[in-house]
Amino acid sequence: MISKTYFKTFVSSAALCILCILCALCVSCSDFFDPTTDDEFEGSKGFTNNTEMYTGFLGVVTKMQAVGDKEILLTEPRGELIEPSDESTDELIALYNYEQNLQDNSYANPKGYYEVILACNDYLKNMEKYKSSPSADKDAWEALVSSTIRTKVWAYKTLAEIYGQAIWYDETDVTPEEAGNSEKNPVLPLDQIIDKCITLMDNGFDGVPSTLEINWIAWLDPANVSSIANSSYRKWTYIVPAYAGLYAELCLWKGAVMDAAGSDAKSYYKKAADLLLTALNKQICVTSDPGSNVYWMPSGSTPGHYTPIWNYAQPYPYESVSAIIYDFNNNQTNSLLKHFSNEFPNKYMLRPSQAGIDRFLDKTFNPGATTSDTRYKCCFGNSSGQRYLAKFRPVGSSVRSNANQDDVHIYIYRATQYHMMLCEALNHLKRFTALNAVFNTGVKAGDQDYCFNATSPEWEGFASTVDPTKCDWTADANWGTRKYPSLGIRGCFSGLTARTLKDNIVELGETASLKFNDLALLDESVLEFAGEGKVYPMMCRMAVRYNDPSIVANRVCAKYTDTGLAATVRTRIMDGGYWVPFILN
């Protein structure tokens, strides 16, 4: 059942006001994460009205908030950039050292993800009962069920990419520990968890597909449906993992597993590419600001909009796809600043390694690199002789005026990540021309070097839905001249030059050519997603695909200044120890 403590996690004193308004479709309450009540909802009785239906979903979201920073804090010390500071703890040092027994390590404990899953199972069970109620809002019911499916899948995907395994269960009246001790809930390896996630996404729940989105603004702020930027409910649209990003990432994991087995994974890479292109085009093709629209596309506008991705009161619309959001004023916090910031009262337990910082300035690793590079300046700071990861509280930030104001948004997916995943899919589809354009140089209409034709197999999915002979990524969009056309993930940053990619499989052979390009994408991700908890899972996926743990070891071990420790860590990784070792019991 949904326990009483399940809803005690709501932290504001605004009581039931917002939930009543959700049902009435009014807009006078202040914020999504205000809801709380001293009236405890007893889940075993099921939902009796739409208010309780909404309350239950907010409980699921609150569980997500609780684990929002976990992947970052768990994987970054094991990754290529972050190391413990002098103020660190034994638990963080154990992660950094790749200790093989982490059973008593609170960071390594996956219980929080299973609590998200249990919350989803509870919620779906009660929604199943509530479906036949005459009072049930059918559209809202379906959208919330769909959102819960994706939340559950996101939790399992995250478990799989961190631990390489997970316990799948659909029970409701159990704790994570009880499920872990159950004979009917065996530990499943990564490939089986990915399969189960894809199956759930494909089948949905109780006749509801996993594709439905909640249009919060239409329900709560209908006056601003056509003017989303003016709505105070805009950030609500980010709180559920997006279907395209989640399914596409599952396809990339499935493709990696099949590649390792020597199976044909083309259908999964095509599915990923199709989903990502459809999602990107929907935003890129928005014509509310024709010619200068910079939504979801690396362009000449990107450098000036890079720091605000983190230094902004709400998830930044030019880049945001899905995000876990917090509000310090409502006592909702994560602990990123506590760990990374050296401003009192933060603890400064983790810092960027010198080797990790140097990668940004290494012209061999980062062609064309300079100290003026936007990402370098955004990521790192130095105060009182201490280097720190500045991405979550950029230098000069005035949005979070207090050093302990840990309401940093944590991105589940952002637009550049969509472009990077698209590149990975295009590589394995051998669409090398499109890959190079999205990754390095930008998509350009009429460029003879790329023979652009939006209707050709190479460029499938890039065509404008309005005018199939054109591509809205280019300066020559369907509505006219675009001020900020696509420049590519690297090409949008002044001074950077293209990374070398293989444009055929003849020179090195198919597997070696695809691997060469994959590693170029991985190295770029080291720069683009520094400190975000996204690089380490990608390294693990590459290691799985090519059965090559050195992909992880070569990038991680460079940060260890102690050669003995570096050798120990390398040995542990090469023995398959890149997955976090933890048994739920």
Side-chain angles (χ1 to χ4, degrees):
M1 69 178 183
I2 301 179
S3 67
K4 295 181 179 180
T5 57
Y6 183 61
F7 291 101
K8 286 183 178 178
T9 53
F10 296 143
V11 293
S12 168
S13 60
L16 207 53
C17 147
I18 186 68
L19 299 174
C20 297
I21 289 172
L22 281 167
C23 298
L25 299 184
C26 298
V27 296
S28 59
C29 265
S30 62
D31 201 290
F32 171 59
F33 288 115
D34 275 350
T36 184
T37 178
D38 293 330
D39 300 324
E40 296 172 349
F41 167 61
E42 184 64 65
S44 61
K45 298 178 181 177
F47 301 146
T48 60
N49 53 55
N50 290 326
T51 294
E52 291 177 351
M53 177 177 72
Y54 287 111
T55 303
F57 184 70
L58 297 187
V60 172
V61 172
T62 303
K63 291 294 185 181
M64 280 190 73
Q65 278 187 320
V67 296
D69 56 8
K70 189 172 184 63
E71 186 167 24
I72 294 173
L73 298 176
L74 176 56
T75 65
E76 286 297 332
R78 298 166 65 86
E80 82 298 337
L81 175 63
I82 298 299
E83 66 182 12
S85 72
D86 295 338
E87 310 301 322
S88 197
T89 66
D90 289 343
E91 287 190 326
L92 290 169
I93 293 171
L95 292 174
Y96 176 77
N97 290 346
Y98 276 72
E99 296 292 345
Q100 296 169 304
N101 183 357
L102 298 175
Q103 283 302 114
D104 296 323
N105 191 304
S106 62
Y107 291 90
N109 193 328
K111 180 180 177 181
Y113 291 112
Y114 287 105
E115 288 180 344
V116 174
I117 292 163
L118 176 60
C120 291
N121 291 347
D122 283 344
Y123 185 71
L124 291 173
K125 177 182 178 181
N126 281 283
M127 289 292 273
E128 192 173 28
K129 295 177 182 177
Y130 185 56
K131 179 180 181 180
S132 59
S133 172
S135 62
D137 182 326
K138 181 179 179 181
D139 290 340
W141 184 91
E142 290 185 347
L144 291 170
V145 166
S146 191
S147 297
T148 307
I149 295 169
R150 295 201 301 279
T151 302
K152 178 177 179 176
V153 169
W154 168 81
Y156 267 120
K157 186 272 302 182
T158 306
L159 283 169
E161 68 188 10
I162 296 175
Y163 300 93
Q165 61 183 19
I167 303 166
W168 188 279
Y169 60 99
D170 297 308
E171 292 90 339
T172 56
D173 298 331
V174 293
T175 66
E177 291 83 0
E178 290 169 343
N181 285 320
S182 172
E183 291 184 1
K184 67 177 180 178
N185 298 113
V187 176
L188 301 180
L190 178 141
D191 60 329
Q192 293 183 38
I193 292 297
I194 296 301
D195 284 345
K196 280 185 167 290
C197 286
I198 291 175
T199 297
L200 181 54
M201 292 284 278
D202 285 341
N203 294 342
F205 177 84
D206 198 18
V208 178
S210 60
T211 57
L212 303 181
E213 301 285 346
I214 302 177
N215 190 338
W216 295 106
I217 296 176
W219 290 351
L220 306 177
D221 195 5
N224 281 312
V225 167
S226 60
S227 182
I228 297 174
N230 295 328
S231 177
S232 60
Y233 295 93
R234 180 174 188 163
K235 63 184 178 182
W236 294 29
T237 62
Y238 304 118
I239 64 176
V240 178
Y243 173 82
L246 185 58
Y247 202 112
E249 193 172 14
L250 290 171
C251 286
L252 295 181
W253 275 106
K254 177 65 176 178
V257 170
M258 294 182 71
D259 288 340
S263 303
D264 183 4
K266 181 179 179 180
S267 63
Y268 288 97
Y269 292 122
K270 186 178 187 307
K271 178 71 170 179
D274 290 347
L275 285 171
L276 292 166
L277 281 166
T278 298
L280 287 168
N281 285 333
K282 182 179 179 181
Q283 295 295 324
I284 290 170
C285 298
V286 169
T287 58
S288 58
D289 187 15
S292 62
N293 180 9
V294 295
Y295 280 76
W296 287 28
M297 185 168 65
S299 70
S301 174
T302 298
H305 290 110
Y306 194 80
T307 299
I309 296 172
W310 296 274
N311 183 20
Y312 204 64
Q314 298 188 31
Y316 204 52
Y318 291 159
E319 178 74 3
S320 303
V321 179
S322 301
I324 301 174
I325 57 179
Y326 301 83
D327 188 340
F328 180 80
N329 294 321
N330 285 330
N331 299 320
Q332 300 148 12
T333 63
N334 58 64
S335 60
L336 293 184
L337 292 181
K338 174 184 176 182
H339 284 79
F340 290 116
S341 171
N342 67 347
E343 296 176 271
F344 181 83
N346 292 320
K347 302 302 182 183
Y348 186 58
M349 292 181 280
L350 297 170
R351 68 188 179 196
S353 66
Q354 190 59 53
I357 295 174
D358 289 345
R359 282 194 176 103
F360 282 72
L361 304 177
D362 182 347
K363 287 182 168 58
T364 300
F365 186 86
N366 183 21
T370 68
T371 55
S372 63
D373 180 64
T374 300
R375 293 182 295 190
Y376 171 77
K377 292 192 297 182
C378 173
C379 284
F380 307 116
N382 195 301
S383 176
S384 302
Q386 295 176 319
R387 59 182 182 268
Y388 63 93
L389 184 68
K391 178 177 275 187
F392 300 117
R393 181 170 160 81
V395 176
S397 171
S398 60
V399 175
R400 299 174 185 92
S401 56
N402 299 313
N404 64 328
Q405 197 168 333
D406 294 351
D407 56 356
V408 179
H409 310 308
I410 297 175
Y411 290 98
I412 301 173
Y413 294 108
R414 57 186 183 91
T416 304
Q417 190 178 359
Y418 270 31
H419 286 261
M420 194 69 76
M421 290 195 294
L422 174 60
C423 286
E424 188 175 338
L426 291 173
N427 183 42
H428 289 273
L429 293 170
K430 305 182 189 68
R431 293 167 61 179
F432 299 128
T433 301
L435 161 63
N436 190 61
V438 175
F439 186 58
N440 275 322
T441 59
V443 179
K444 303 174 183 178
D447 189 333
Q448 294 305 308
D449 292 337
Y450 297 94
C451 303
F452 181 79
N453 181 341
T455 62
S456 72
E458 178 72 33
W459 295 99
E460 180 183 355
F462 285 85
S464 167
T465 56
V466 177
D467 183 351
T469 66
K470 294 186 176 182
C471 172
D472 291 330
W473 296 44
T474 72
D476 184 24
N478 78 80
W479 63 76
T481 302
R482 185 190 201 102
K483 183 178 179 182
Y484 291 110
S486 161
L487 293 181
I489 294 172
R490 282 187 63 80
C492 69
F493 294 107
S494 177
L496 298 186
T497 55
R499 283 189 186 275
T500 300
L501 296 174
K502 299 301 179 184
D503 61 2
N504 64 76
I505 60 173
V506 176
E507 177 188 357
L508 300 179
E510 181 170 328
T511 299
S513 299
L514 297 178
K515 183 177 182 180
F516 184 96
N517 290 347
D518 269 347
L519 297 188
L521 300 179
L522 178 57
D523 286 344
E524 188 63 27
S525 294
V526 164
L527 307 177
E528 177 64 35
F529 305 115
E532 296 181 45
K534 302 182 185 301
V535 178
Y536 193 79
M538 187 176 180
M539 282 196 284
C540 293
R541 183 162 68 246
M542 299 301 182
V544 168
R545 176 176 288 138
Y546 298 106
N547 190 26
D548 184 3
S550 71
I551 292 173
V552 180
N554 290 346
R555 286 157 182 78
V556 166
C557 291
K559 72 182 181 181
Y560 295 91
T561 56
D562 182 323
T563 55
L565 179 57
T568 297
V569 169
R570 177 175 289 275
T571 297
R572 289 172 176 172
I573 292 174
M574 294 304 294
D575 287 341
Y578 48 86
W579 304 117
V580 173
F582 196 101
I583 301 173
L584 185 67
N585 53 32

